[in-house]
Amino acid sequence: MNQREITSLQSLLEALGEDNDGYTGAVWYRGQARAEWTLTPGYVRLETPPSEATLLKRFKQSAAMLIEMAPRESFDWLFLMQHYGVPTRLLDWSESPLVGLYFAVEDLVNDPDHDGSLWLLRPSELNKNARINNRDEEGYIPSFEDEELQNYSVESLAQNRRIQLLPVATIATRNNARIQAQLGVFTIHHHENTPIEEVGDSTHVIKYVIPKSAKPLIYKQLQLLGFSRFQLFPELASIGAIIKGGIQ
């Protein structure tokens, strides 16, 4: 797996220019506050998790009265669960490197003593490991509505635990302000618990390590470019957090 260090926005731009030179496919990004964390979704990291179907039923039970229109598909329920912090098989990614970088450096108060990481993913290259490759469309990436993803649904996983498929990259309808603001896309795991960076020969990912000493500078540079919590989370709670932070 290719790994590099970045200490500023300038060094990131230089690294991305070199690493994407000649590559014409889609490129996604994910920032993580700690460099040692693997690319593994929350549900997979649970030691003794309840079944995903049970989590879904519990979430539906309490959420039904709070949402105007209930989702019809289980994937849409998974998006909602992910949105509100319930562990799922989804990992959030962004089409913007700056969005990913923000999430790697934002938590300066609670996590100042750890190096962070920004991951670069070539989604169509990841999917080739799972035999998802459209010969008529270079760089093909399926959506959750496509046939290739049906084996990754909650219902399919509950019915047959003997099948273990590799994680895949997929796009989803951006049906809320947060996912649109973050240019959100996803990877989704199956029963196979392999971290994204350990799939195949790992050439579909590049890891940029952000030293803890560089986090404050990068965070300040992102602020100068207009990246704030409200821009990425356009919600009332973000306004409250920004105001609170300004008076402390």
PDB file of all heavy atoms in Angstrom, residues 124-141:
ATOM      1  N   SER A 124     -13.607   2.364  -8.664  1.00  0.00           N
ATOM      2  CA  SER A 124     -13.804   1.341  -9.697  1.00  0.00           C
ATOM      3  C   SER A 124     -12.713   0.278  -9.633  1.00  0.00           C
ATOM      4  O   SER A 124     -12.949  -0.891  -9.979  1.00  0.00           O
ATOM      5  CB  SER A 124     -13.841   1.988 -11.085  1.00  0.00           C
ATOM      6  OG  SER A 124     -12.632   2.678 -11.361  1.00  0.00           O
ATOM      7  N   GLU A 125     -11.517   0.649  -9.155  1.00  0.00           N
ATOM      8  CA  GLU A 125     -10.445  -0.336  -9.003  1.00  0.00           C
ATOM      9  C   GLU A 125     -10.733  -1.267  -7.824  1.00  0.00           C
ATOM     10  O   GLU A 125     -10.451  -2.463  -7.877  1.00  0.00           O
ATOM     11  CB  GLU A 125      -9.102   0.370  -8.812  1.00  0.00           C
ATOM     12  CG  GLU A 125      -8.685   1.243  -9.978  1.00  0.00           C
ATOM     13  CD  GLU A 125      -8.633   0.468 -11.283  1.00  0.00           C
ATOM     14  OE1 GLU A 125      -8.004  -0.608 -11.303  1.00  0.00           O
ATOM     15  OE2 GLU A 125      -9.233   0.931 -12.280  1.00  0.00           O
ATOM     16  N   LEU A 126     -11.287  -0.713  -6.735  1.00  0.00           N
ATOM     17  CA  LEU A 126     -11.714  -1.564  -5.618  1.00  0.00           C
ATOM     18  C   LEU A 126     -12.742  -2.580  -6.096  1.00  0.00           C
ATOM     19  O   LEU A 126     -12.673  -3.769  -5.768  1.00  0.00           O
ATOM     20  CB  LEU A 126     -12.309  -0.707  -4.503  1.00  0.00           C
ATOM     21  CG  LEU A 126     -13.052  -1.471  -3.396  1.00  0.00           C
ATOM     22  CD1 LEU A 126     -12.093  -2.338  -2.576  1.00  0.00           C
ATOM     23  CD2 LEU A 126     -13.812  -0.509  -2.487  1.00  0.00           C
ATOM     24  N   ASN A 127     -13.702  -2.121  -6.891  1.00  0.00           N
ATOM     25  CA  ASN A 127     -14.807  -2.987  -7.301  1.00  0.00           C
ATOM     26  C   ASN A 127     -14.372  -4.117  -8.225  1.00  0.00           C
ATOM     27  O   ASN A 127     -15.035  -5.149  -8.301  1.00  0.00           O
ATOM     28  CB  ASN A 127     -15.902  -2.156  -7.969  1.00  0.00           C
ATOM     29  CG  ASN A 127     -16.664  -1.315  -6.966  1.00  0.00           C
ATOM     30  OD1 ASN A 127     -16.481  -1.467  -5.762  1.00  0.00           O
ATOM     31  ND2 ASN A 127     -17.513  -0.423  -7.463  1.00  0.00           N
ATOM     32  N   LYS A 128     -13.259  -3.939  -8.913  1.00  0.00           N
ATOM     33  CA  LYS A 128     -12.774  -5.014  -9.781  1.00  0.00           C
ATOM     34  C   LYS A 128     -12.410  -6.246  -8.961  1.00  0.00           C
ATOM     35  O   LYS A 128     -12.484  -7.377  -9.456  1.00  0.00           O
ATOM     36  CB  LYS A 128     -11.579  -4.532 -10.595  1.00  0.00           C
ATOM     37  CG  LYS A 128     -11.969  -3.543 -11.689  1.00  0.00           C
ATOM     38  CD  LYS A 128     -10.743  -3.034 -12.434  1.00  0.00           C
ATOM     39  CE  LYS A 128     -11.139  -2.008 -13.488  1.00  0.00           C
ATOM     40  NZ  LYS A 128      -9.952  -1.445 -14.204  1.00  0.00           N
ATOM     41  N   ASN A 129     -12.020  -6.048  -7.693  1.00  0.00           N
ATOM     42  CA  ASN A 129     -11.730  -7.185  -6.824  1.00  0.00           C
ATOM     43  C   ASN A 129     -12.979  -8.003  -6.539  1.00  0.00           C
ATOM     44  O   ASN A 129     -12.897  -9.203  -6.262  1.00  0.00           O
ATOM     45  CB  ASN A 129     -11.120  -6.705  -5.509  1.00  0.00           C
ATOM     46  CG  ASN A 129      -9.739  -6.122  -5.681  1.00  0.00           C
ATOM     47  OD1 ASN A 129      -8.754  -6.840  -5.826  1.00  0.00           O
ATOM     48  ND2 ASN A 129      -9.649  -4.797  -5.673  1.00  0.00           N
ATOM     49  N   ALA A 130     -14.152  -7.334  -6.587  1.00  0.00           N
ATOM     50  CA  ALA A 130     -15.427  -8.005  -6.358  1.00  0.00           C
ATOM     51  C   ALA A 130     -16.090  -8.416  -7.673  1.00  0.00           C
ATOM     52  O   ALA A 130     -17.280  -8.737  -7.696  1.00  0.00           O
ATOM     53  CB  ALA A 130     -16.360  -7.097  -5.560  1.00  0.00           C
ATOM     54  N   ARG A 131     -15.331  -8.375  -8.753  1.00  0.00           N
ATOM     55  CA  ARG A 131     -15.812  -8.763 -10.078  1.00  0.00           C
ATOM     56  C   ARG A 131     -16.911  -7.842 -10.583  1.00  0.00           C
ATOM     57  O   ARG A 131     -17.801  -8.268 -11.332  1.00  0.00           O
ATOM     58  CB  ARG A 131     -16.314 -10.215 -10.085  1.00  0.00           C
ATOM     59  CG  ARG A 131     -15.318 -11.230  -9.561  1.00  0.00           C
ATOM     60  CD  ARG A 131     -14.108 -11.338 -10.465  1.00  0.00           C
ATOM     61  NE  ARG A 131     -13.213 -12.411 -10.044  1.00  0.00           N
ATOM     62  CZ  ARG A 131     -12.014 -12.641 -10.563  1.00  0.00           C
ATOM     63  NH1 ARG A 131     -11.562 -11.858 -11.523  1.00  0.00           N
ATOM     64  NH2 ARG A 131     -11.257 -13.630 -10.117  1.00  0.00           N
ATOM     65  N   ILE A 132     -16.873  -6.585 -10.161  1.00  0.00           N
ATOM     66  CA  ILE A 132     -17.814  -5.589 -10.684  1.00  0.00           C
ATOM     67  C   ILE A 132     -17.029  -4.697 -11.639  1.00  0.00           C
ATOM     68  O   ILE A 132     -16.212  -3.869 -11.221  1.00  0.00           O
ATOM     69  CB  ILE A 132     -18.444  -4.755  -9.561  1.00  0.00           C
ATOM     70  CG1 ILE A 132     -19.278  -5.655  -8.649  1.00  0.00           C
ATOM     71  CG2 ILE A 132     -19.314  -3.637 -10.143  1.00  0.00           C
ATOM     72  CD1 ILE A 132     -19.869  -4.931  -7.445  1.00  0.00           C
ATOM     73  N   ASN A 133     -17.244  -4.892 -12.934  1.00  0.00           N
ATOM     74  CA  ASN A 133     -16.470  -4.172 -13.933  1.00  0.00           C
ATOM     75  C   ASN A 133     -17.236  -4.193 -15.249  1.00  0.00           C
ATOM     76  O   ASN A 133     -17.414  -5.252 -15.859  1.00  0.00           O
ATOM     77  CB  ASN A 133     -15.088  -4.821 -14.099  1.00  0.00           C
ATOM     78  CG  ASN A 133     -14.225  -4.060 -15.072  1.00  0.00           C
ATOM     79  OD1 ASN A 133     -14.348  -2.843 -15.209  1.00  0.00           O
ATOM     80  ND2 ASN A 133     -13.357  -4.777 -15.786  1.00  0.00           N
ATOM     81  N   ASN A 134     -17.708  -3.043 -15.677  1.00  0.00           N
ATOM     82  CA  ASN A 134     -18.462  -2.946 -16.928  1.00  0.00           C
ATOM     83  C   ASN A 134     -17.485  -2.691 -18.076  1.00  0.00           C
ATOM     84  O   ASN A 134     -16.896  -1.616 -18.165  1.00  0.00           O
ATOM     85  CB  ASN A 134     -19.484  -1.808 -16.828  1.00  0.00           C
ATOM     86  CG  ASN A 134     -20.438  -1.777 -18.011  1.00  0.00           C
ATOM     87  OD1 ASN A 134     -20.131  -2.317 -19.082  1.00  0.00           O
ATOM     88  ND2 ASN A 134     -21.585  -1.147 -17.832  1.00  0.00           N
ATOM     89  N   ARG A 135     -17.327  -3.673 -18.950  1.00  0.00           N
ATOM     90  CA  ARG A 135     -16.373  -3.528 -20.044  1.00  0.00           C
ATOM     91  C   ARG A 135     -16.798  -2.455 -21.042  1.00  0.00           C
ATOM     92  O   ARG A 135     -15.977  -1.950 -21.811  1.00  0.00           O
ATOM     93  CB  ARG A 135     -16.192  -4.867 -20.761  1.00  0.00           C
ATOM     94  CG  ARG A 135     -15.408  -5.894 -19.942  1.00  0.00           C
ATOM     95  CD  ARG A 135     -15.310  -7.210 -20.661  1.00  0.00           C
ATOM     96  NE  ARG A 135     -16.621  -7.866 -20.765  1.00  0.00           N
ATOM     97  CZ  ARG A 135     -16.811  -9.054 -21.338  1.00  0.00           C
ATOM     98  NH1 ARG A 135     -15.793  -9.702 -21.876  1.00  0.00           N
ATOM     99  NH2 ARG A 135     -18.020  -9.577 -21.383  1.00  0.00           N
ATOM    100  N   ASP A 136     -18.085  -2.095 -21.032  1.00  0.00           N
ATOM    101  CA  ASP A 136     -18.588  -1.077 -21.957  1.00  0.00           C
ATOM    102  C   ASP A 136     -18.550   0.326 -21.358  1.00  0.00           C
ATOM    103  O   ASP A 136     -18.880   1.295 -22.035  1.00  0.00           O
ATOM    104  CB  ASP A 136     -20.029  -1.406 -22.370  1.00  0.00           C
ATOM    105  CG  ASP A 136     -20.119  -2.743 -23.092  1.00  0.00           C
ATOM    106  OD1 ASP A 136     -19.178  -3.048 -23.861  1.00  0.00           O
ATOM    107  OD2 ASP A 136     -21.111  -3.462 -22.879  1.00  0.00           O
ATOM    108  N   GLU A 137     -18.188   0.435 -20.089  1.00  0.00           N
ATOM    109  CA  GLU A 137     -18.161   1.745 -19.432  1.00  0.00           C
ATOM    110  C   GLU A 137     -16.964   1.804 -18.485  1.00  0.00           C
ATOM    111  O   GLU A 137     -16.998   1.276 -17.377  1.00  0.00           O
ATOM    112  CB  GLU A 137     -19.457   1.987 -18.648  1.00  0.00           C
ATOM    113  CG  GLU A 137     -19.515   3.354 -17.970  1.00  0.00           C
ATOM    114  CD  GLU A 137     -20.794   3.562 -17.183  1.00  0.00           C
ATOM    115  OE1 GLU A 137     -21.790   2.845 -17.441  1.00  0.00           O
ATOM    116  OE2 GLU A 137     -20.796   4.435 -16.302  1.00  0.00           O
ATOM    117  N   GLU A 138     -15.911   2.448 -18.929  1.00  0.00           N
ATOM    118  CA  GLU A 138     -14.697   2.553 -18.130  1.00  0.00           C
ATOM    119  C   GLU A 138     -14.978   3.325 -16.846  1.00  0.00           C
ATOM    120  O   GLU A 138     -15.614   4.376 -16.857  1.00  0.00           O
ATOM    121  CB  GLU A 138     -13.599   3.271 -18.927  1.00  0.00           C
ATOM    122  CG  GLU A 138     -12.264   3.327 -18.225  1.00  0.00           C
ATOM    123  CD  GLU A 138     -11.633   1.962 -18.036  1.00  0.00           C
ATOM    124  OE1 GLU A 138     -11.919   1.062 -18.848  1.00  0.00           O
ATOM    125  OE2 GLU A 138     -10.853   1.799 -17.072  1.00  0.00           O
ATOM    126  N   GLY A 139     -14.525   2.792 -15.714  1.00  0.00           N
ATOM    127  CA  GLY A 139     -14.735   3.474 -14.437  1.00  0.00           C
ATOM    128  C   GLY A 139     -16.131   3.314 -13.869  1.00  0.00           C
ATOM    129  O   GLY A 139     -16.558   4.112 -13.032  1.00  0.00           O
ATOM    130  N   TYR A 140     -16.838   2.285 -14.290  1.00  0.00           N
ATOM    131  CA  TYR A 140     -18.222   2.064 -13.827  1.00  0.00           C
ATOM    132  C   TYR A 140     -18.288   1.885 -12.317  1.00  0.00           C
ATOM    133  O   TYR A 140     -17.478   1.176 -11.716  1.00  0.00           O
ATOM    134  CB  TYR A 140     -18.778   0.819 -14.515  1.00  0.00           C
ATOM    135  CG  TYR A 140     -20.105   0.354 -13.977  1.00  0.00           C
ATOM    136  CD1 TYR A 140     -21.274   1.048 -14.255  1.00  0.00           C
ATOM    137  CD2 TYR A 140     -20.195  -0.779 -13.162  1.00  0.00           C
ATOM    138  CE1 TYR A 140     -22.500   0.619 -13.758  1.00  0.00           C
ATOM    139  CE2 TYR A 140     -21.408  -1.222 -12.668  1.00  0.00           C
ATOM    140  CZ  TYR A 140     -22.556  -0.512 -12.972  1.00  0.00           C
ATOM    141  OH  TYR A 140     -23.765  -0.937 -12.468  1.00  0.00           O
ATOM    142  N   ILE A 141     -19.267   2.562 -11.699  1.00  0.00           N
ATOM    143  CA  ILE A 141     -19.541   2.423 -10.261  1.00  0.00           C
ATOM    144  C   ILE A 141     -21.043   2.210 -10.096  1.00  0.00           C
ATOM    145  O   ILE A 141     -21.833   3.045 -10.535  1.00  0.00           O
ATOM    146  CB  ILE A 141     -19.112   3.677  -9.473  1.00  0.00           C
ATOM    147  CG1 ILE A 141     -17.637   4.001  -9.722  1.00  0.00           C
ATOM    148  CG2 ILE A 141     -19.372   3.483  -7.976  1.00  0.00           C
ATOM    149  CD1 ILE A 141     -17.207   5.343  -9.173  1.00  0.00           C
TER     150      ILE A 141
END
